[in-house]
Amino acid sequence: MKLMTCPLNGPRNISEFVYGGEVKAMPNHKTCSDKEWADYVFYADNTIKIIQEWWFHSPSGYWFIAERHTASDEILRTFDPSELYQERIDFGHEEGVKGGVV
Amino acid sequence: MSEFIISAHAMCRQSPIDASLCAQDSQVVIEDKTHTTRVGVRGVAAESFLKRQGMIVPDQPNQAEYSENGLIVLRLSRTEFWLIDVAQSHQAALEALERQALSEEGVYRLYCQHSHALFELKGEYSAEMFAKLCGVDLSHGAFAAQSIAQTSVARVNAIVVNTSLSAQRSDNYLILSDVSSAEHLWDALLDASQEF
């Protein structure tokens, strides 16, 4: 059985976790080009290296970050997102623009 | 809608479990406590808010605080707390606390009253029974009183709380699980307990 160590709950069966994609900086969706946004949403480097990924522990509803080697599939480290993200990122409000579908 | 109080109208609650089916000879006793009152709060100010309300709050995530009066405080993460009134004797206090939380900055209520089912397990073979259903070691040495395990039980997500009181020398556990899978979990627990 494959195990992953959740920073909050400890070692758990891998079936309790859900993959959440690579950790990468989100561009400002109000000012970036379509190409930049598509690159952020759809594309990954997909090379052999140690990458940082979002993972979700489903029974506790907890998101965290794991460092994994893409060739050996070894999980080297898992940690709370507060190590990387200390503050909420706010892209600001756009004046005069009404959001949503009427 | 913001005035809606989750913990109110206790007499109107219903459980999806048909408790009449639980008559059994097993030494592991399982009771459905889904209808009892519980309230959750989350947020950066949740811990200080509960302390100001006179609650004893666990220091670490995945720990519980309780006494014989039946009110149990679960700390599920650094900023998430659930209050569980198993004895159904703190209804007014929890309702008042929830009302107070409405006006608190950095405190958000959680809808665990309606989202989760609650079962209570008693009996000295409870830990052995868990070994059949759960990958995490919940045996006496590994899973002490006041510990919480958020994991998979009978293939559904569950929160298992060891609420044993050392004075009573009996094993006591709470299981909280999504209400939509409550009947499956109930049947799985009854089935697993048959051999004890």
Side-chain angles (χ1 to χ4, degrees), chain A residues 27-80:
Chain A
N28 186 339
H29 60 288
K30 289 175 181 166
T31 56
C32 73
S33 66
D34 289 350
K35 190 174 185 309
E36 281 176 304
W37 186 248
D39 190 51
Y40 169 71
V41 175
F42 297 112
Y43 298 119
D45 284 345
N46 199 24
T47 52
I48 293 177
K49 62 177 181 180
I50 295 167
I51 54 167
Q52 291 186 334
E53 296 169 328
W54 285 103
W55 282 86
F56 179 68
H57 183 242
S58 172
S60 58
Y62 172 71
W63 283 100
F64 62 95
I65 297 170
E67 284 180 357
R68 185 177 68 91
H69 195 284
T70 51
S72 68
D73 203 25
E74 188 183 357
I75 296 154
L76 302 159
R77 189 167 85 97
T78 55
F79 55 95
D80 190 270

Side-chain angles (χ1 to χ4, degrees), chain B residues 12-13 21 28 38 61 70 89 92 123 125 141 146 174 179 181-182 192-193:
Chain B
C12 298
R13 291 183 203 136
L21 300 176
V28 180
R38 57 193 163 275
S89 55
Y125 293 107
Q146 297 188 283
L174 295 181
V179 76
S181 48
S193 66

Side-chain angles (χ1 to χ4, degrees), chain B residues 174-194:
Chain B
L174 295 181
I175 303 181
L176 291 132
S177 175
D178 194 294
V179 76
S180 59
S181 48
E183 286 172 281
H184 157 74
L185 183 59
W186 179 259
D187 290 344
L189 290 169
L190 285 186
D191 182 60
S193 66
Q194 288 302 315

Side-chain angles (χ1 to χ4, degrees), chain A residues 1 8-12 15-16 57-62 80 82, chain B residues 42 61-62 76-78 80 136 148-152 157-159:
Chain A
M1 184 183 292
L8 177 65
N9 298 286
R12 290 288 190 272
S15 64
E16 293 188 12
H57 183 242
S58 172
S60 58
Y62 172 71
D80 190 270
S82 62
Chain B
R42 185 173 197 166
N62 286 325
L76 299 178
S77 77
R78 220 168 43 78
E80 181 169 338
V136 176
I148 297 174
Q150 300 182 71
T151 185
S152 187
N157 290 339
I159 299 166

